[in-house]
Amino acid sequence: MKNKLIIGFGLLAFTMGIYADEKSSFAVPLRVEPAAVYTKIRIDGQVSENRESNVYEREKQGNIEGELKFLQYFSVKVGTTKSQWEKSGSKTLTQLDRLYAGLKFAKEHQFSFGSIVWGGGVKWFDQQSKKYARDGQAPELYLIRPNANFGLKVGAFEAIVDLQFQSETNRAFKENSKEEFRRYYQSGLALSYGLTENFRLFAETEYRRPYNSTVDIHTKFWNVYPGFSYQVYKGGFLSASLQFPVIHEHQMDRGMRISYFHIFDY
């Protein structure tokens, strides 16, 4: 069912992309949430690992996301991830992760010195498979993630700032007396520079901290992501980025992501 929804969304995005509004002047970041809205399909392949405390962990992920722009300033998103997780002394787990949907707003302004974009949105993540829950996850709960972001473009240079807050929740949007939702804050910064019309260098970073560190000990991290994107044809991009930790916590401490995305309204 989830695969059918994603395929259907992709066909819809392709059809409506023919009639899309004017394209955004901002490039799509490698890892940080984009500030602009697009009509696009994105596919990511990622591997990350952690070798701290003599415990080896590795996670491989494949992600697909579709975004559809409408009414010039809005877009909707759907996506999901398939992951494989390995840990010393544990059975290898392969699962289809939470299906998510999102609504986004962004408005761009042109000035003599360049462009700015501002906006925000919200993502809603479905329940997780109870069979493969791990690291204190509550698979029967949903996730809700609002965000706000801002972008600046001056010549070939671009900067995007993203602020997020995520919380577990249930259908009633209310904790009962025997539970406490896990929540976290996250900030991201993406800096990039276009060396040529087709080739762009990126330096990105994300910092995440839990709302309550006694409830959630698996959330905190601070990573940096150097990388690049290359336009292989009009609207089609390949990108690659590495992952390095600034602080070593309970998360994966190194990794790599390769992405392909096609922007229909490019």
Side-chain angles (χ1 to χ4, degrees), residues 132-155:
Y132 297 119
R134 70 175 205 259
D135 291 343
Q137 293 180 356
E140 73 280 4
L141 295 177
Y142 302 91
L143 302 177
I144 186 167
R145 184 189 299 169
N147 79 295
N149 41 31
F150 174 84
L152 170 68
K153 179 181 176 68
V154 180

Side-chain angles (χ1 to χ4, degrees), residues 85 91-98 127-135 137-140:
W85 181 69
K91 182 180 178 180
T92 298
L93 303 178
T94 301
Q95 66 181 5
L96 188 65
D97 292 335
R98 299 172 186 263
Q127 296 169 314
Q128 179 60 285
S129 169
K130 296 182 180 181
K131 183 178 179 181
Y132 297 119
R134 70 175 205 259
D135 291 343
Q137 293 180 356
E140 73 280 4

Side-chain angles (χ1 to χ4, degrees), residues 13-262:
F14 176 79
T15 302
M16 294 193 66
I18 299 174
Y19 308 101
D21 294 317
E22 183 179 352
K23 70 173 184 177
S24 170
S25 63
F26 285 80
V28 177
L30 305 183
R31 308 235 187 177
V32 172
E33 180 71 22
V37 292
Y38 310 87
T39 295
K40 73 178 192 298
I41 291 290
R42 177 168 184 157
I43 301 172
D44 300 312
Q46 177 177 314
V47 59
S48 54
E49 62 181 20
N50 180 9
R51 296 178 179 269
E52 291 188 69
S53 304
N54 298 318
V55 176
Y56 176 74
E57 292 182 85
R58 172 182 288 176
E59 186 167 37
K60 299 177 182 178
Q61 294 180 319
N63 179 75
I64 182 169
E65 179 184 84
E67 180 178 2
L68 178 61
K69 182 178 178 180
F70 66 97
L71 299 179
Q72 190 173 357
Y73 304 125
F74 296 89
S75 73
V76 290
K77 289 184 175 184
V78 295
T80 191
T81 300
K82 188 172 184 178
S83 63
Q84 182 183 79
W85 181 69
E86 306 171 33
K87 185 176 182 179
S88 300
S90 299
K91 182 180 178 180
T92 298
L93 303 178
T94 301
Q95 66 181 5
L96 188 65
D97 292 335
R98 299 172 186 263
L99 178 69
Y100 66 86
L103 176 65
K104 187 174 180 181
F105 165 83
K107 185 171 178 59
E108 296 188 30
H109 304 270
Q110 308 296 325
F111 299 95
S112 59
F113 62 83
S115 307
I116 65 170
V117 59
W118 60 276
V122 62
K123 286 183 179 179
W124 174 269
F125 294 78
D126 198 5
Q127 296 169 314
Q128 179 60 285
S129 169
K130 296 182 180 181
K131 183 178 179 181
Y132 297 119
R134 70 175 205 259
D135 291 343
Q137 293 180 356
E140 73 280 4
L141 295 177
Y142 302 91
L143 302 177
I144 186 167
R145 184 189 299 169
N147 79 295
N149 41 31
F150 174 84
L152 170 68
K153 179 181 176 68
V154 180
F157 171 79
E158 294 183 16
I160 292 175
V161 176
D162 178 62
L163 302 174
Q164 300 183 10
F165 176 76
Q166 178 175 291
S167 176
E168 295 177 325
T169 189
N170 50 34
R171 292 183 183 274
F173 294 95
K174 184 179 180 180
E175 298 168 326
N176 61 46
S177 59
K178 297 181 180 180
E179 68 180 349
E180 184 171 356
F181 294 155
R182 296 195 310 168
R183 302 177 173 94
Y184 68 70
Y185 304 100
Q186 181 170 311
S187 58
L189 172 65
L191 305 176
S192 68
Y193 188 84
L195 294 181
T196 69
E197 184 177 352
N198 296 330
F199 187 79
R200 177 170 290 270
L201 290 176
F202 285 84
E204 301 184 357
T205 184
E206 289 181 321
Y207 175 74
R208 181 185 294 179
R209 58 169 296 178
Y211 174 80
N212 186 336
S213 58
T214 61
V215 174
D216 188 356
I217 64 173
H218 298 283
T219 290
K220 187 176 181 180
F221 70 74
W222 184 6
N223 293 330
V224 293
Y225 314 110
F228 69 90
S229 70
Y230 179 73
Q231 182 176 202
V232 293
Y233 62 88
K234 184 178 180 181
F237 296 82
L238 285 174
S239 68
S241 61
L242 300 176
Q243 172 184 321
F244 300 103
V246 178
I247 57 174
H248 292 271
E249 290 290 336
H250 298 278
Q251 298 289 326
M252 303 297 183
D253 62 2
R254 72 193 90 185
M256 179 178 183
R257 175 186 290 183
I258 297 177
S259 305
Y260 162 79
F261 48 96
H262 179 83

